[in-house]
Amino acid sequence: MIISIASGKGGTGKTLVATSLAISLKDRDRVQLLDCDVEEPNDHIFLRPVITISEAVCIPIPEVDEKKCTYCGKCAEVCVYHAIAVFAQHVLVFPNLCHGCGACSYLCPEKAITEVGRQIGVVECGHSNGIEFAHGKLNVGEAMPTPVIRRVKAQANRDRIVIIDVSPGTSCPVVESIKDSDFCLLVTEPTPFGLNDLILAVETVKKLKVPCGVVINRAGVGDRKVEEYCLRECIPVLLTIPLDTEIARLNSRGITLIEGMPQWKESFIGLSDRINEIMNARSGCLKR
Ligand code: SF4
Ligand code: SF4
C-alpha cells in the first residue's frame, strides 16, 4: 500500500500527518517513509534517521565535440527548453536549462554530442527506530525536482506500508510524487485559502485516478466550508486535528506529535484502518 500525503497549500501540516502516521504504525506494520518534498525536505528533522546510503542524482547534459560539429543548428531547433544555441562557429550549452531529454544527441547528424552527468541533488536512505526512511535533496538553485523525486520513489519497498510526503501545491513535482499511489491523504485547514487549494488538489488527484480522503488540521481556526465541500463531493474526512498551541509548540521544537502527545497514536492507527476499509470496499466493488 502506498499512501501519499499531499496538500494544495504549504504549511497545512503534511509533515505532522506523515511522521505521525509512520510512527503510529511502526509497531503494528512494516513502514517506510519517503520524503519527496525535495525542495524543502523536513521529515528528517522530526525522525532523526541514521543515514546509511547517500547517492548523487545526475541528469545527462550534452557536451559538443566541435571538431565533428558542422553548426547545422539541428540540436538548437529540437531543444524546446532553449538549452543549446548554435552560432556560426560555436555551440553554447546552458546546463541549468537542460532537462536531459537526450533529443539533441539523438538527432545530431554528425554524432558530435555526447552526454555527461550533471549533479542536481542527492538521495539519502536510512532508518529511524524501525521506520525505513529515504528523502531527496535538490541542490539550491536547481529548477528540476522531478528526477530527484523519481529516485526517491525508486526506493519504495512494496513489502511495507509506504508513506510519501509530497511537496505542497498541484504542479509537476506533486503529480510525480502522487502518481502510482494507492491512496492520497489531502491535508487542509478550515480557512478560505485551505478550501481553495484543497479544491485544486482534489482535481489533481481525480485526474490521476487516485482515491483520496481529507485530514482537517487546525480545526476551529476558521469555518465549516471545508467540511461542507467534502460532504458535497463525497470525500471522506478521515481525521480532524484541532488548533492546539501544544501541537504548535512541539512542532516548533522538532518533536513529533506522537512523541509529545502519545494519546494521538490511536487516532492515526484509526486513520490507517479507515483507509484500509475504503481500499477494501473499492476493490470489492471493482471485483463485482
Ligand atoms: S546538431 Fe550536431 S552538428 Fe548540428 S550544430 Fe548541433 S552539435 Fe553541431
Ligand atoms: S538534452 Fe534535451 S533539454 Fe538538454 S539541451 Fe539537449 S534537447 Fe535540450
Side-chain angles (χ1 to χ4, degrees):
M1 165 94 90
I2 299 181
I3 304 170
S4 49
I5 318 284
S7 66
K9 174 182 170 303
T12 52
K14 258 183 324 88
T15 300
L16 174 101
V17 172
T19 54
S20 299
L21 191 57
I23 294 172
S24 300
L25 293 180
K26 76 180 173 69
D27 296 328
R28 191 182 76 168
D29 297 297
R30 286 149 55 83
V31 179
Q32 183 186 42
L33 179 60
L34 304 178
D35 191 350
C36 285
D37 188 357
V38 301
E39 288 171 86
E40 206 175 353
N42 57 2
D43 289 350
H44 65 285
I45 295 169
F46 295 90
L47 292 185
R48 300 178 286 279
V50 176
I51 298 297
T52 51
I53 300 170
S54 180
E55 285 177 4
V57 180
C58 299
I59 58 167
I61 63 162
E63 192 171 70
V64 178
D65 180 352
E66 294 208 20
K67 288 193 203 91
K68 293 184 184 169
C69 177
T70 57
Y71 307 103
C72 68
K74 286 207 167 72
C75 51
E77 273 168 38
V78 76
C79 183
V80 291
Y81 303 105
H82 307 294
I84 191 162
V86 180
F87 300 95
Q89 294 293 309
H90 194 46
V91 180
L92 261 185
V93 175
F94 303 99
N96 288 327
L97 298 181
C98 175
H99 281 53
C101 70
C104 54
S105 58
Y106 182 73
L107 287 175
C108 173
E110 308 301 329
K111 301 289 169 229
I113 298 178
T114 51
E115 292 176 334
V116 291
R118 185 174 78 82
Q119 186 175 348
I120 60 166
V122 68
V123 170
E124 294 178 329
C125 308
H127 52 87
S128 166
N129 289 323
I131 300 169
E132 235 177 69
F133 178 84
H135 66 180
K137 291 179 178 171
L138 185 69
N139 288 352
V140 174
E142 292 294 345
M144 269 190 305
T146 47
V148 183
I149 292 169
R150 276 196 286 272
R151 284 285 291 280
V152 179
K153 286 184 73 178
Q155 311 302 318
N157 180 351
R158 278 286 193 167
D159 291 340
R160 296 186 173 239
I161 294 178
V162 181
I163 298 167
I164 296 181
D165 193 352
V166 180
S167 55
T170 52
S171 57
C172 299
V174 175
V175 171
E176 187 65 45
S177 303
I178 296 176
K179 74 178 189 192
D180 308 322
S181 294
D182 298 301
F183 194 85
C184 182
L185 266 180
L186 297 169
V187 185
T188 189
E189 58 183 27
T191 63
F193 287 129
L195 175 59
N196 179 72
D197 295 343
L198 173 66
I199 292 169
L200 297 174
V202 167
E203 282 171 16
T204 305
V205 293
K206 275 188 180 163
K207 284 202 173 108
L208 292 169
K209 297 189 171 32
V210 174
C212 70
V214 164
V215 173
I216 299 178
N217 189 21
R218 301 193 197 95
V221 76
D223 51 34
R224 296 186 54 81
K225 290 205 168 94
V226 166
E227 282 152 297
E228 289 165 11
Y229 164 77
C230 291
L231 199 61
R232 266 197 320 277
E233 296 294 319
C234 299
I235 300 167
V237 175
L238 300 176
L239 182 67
T240 300
I241 303 169
L243 179 68
D244 183 335
T245 48
E246 177 60 11
I247 296 177
R249 195 177 62 80
L250 291 170
N251 205 44
S252 68
R253 290 169 59 203
I255 300 171
T256 62
L257 178 63
I258 308 302
E259 272 178 292
M261 300 171 79
Q263 64 270 31
W264 275 97
K265 183 174 172 180
E266 282 309 310
S267 302
F268 278 90
I269 289 175
L271 170 65
S272 165
D273 290 344
R274 289 200 65 191
I275 293 172
N276 279 329
E277 282 164 23
I278 292 169
M279 297 307 296
N280 289 339
R282 275 176 65 89
S283 61
C285 287
L286 291 174
K287 276 182 201 147
R288 260 180 249 140

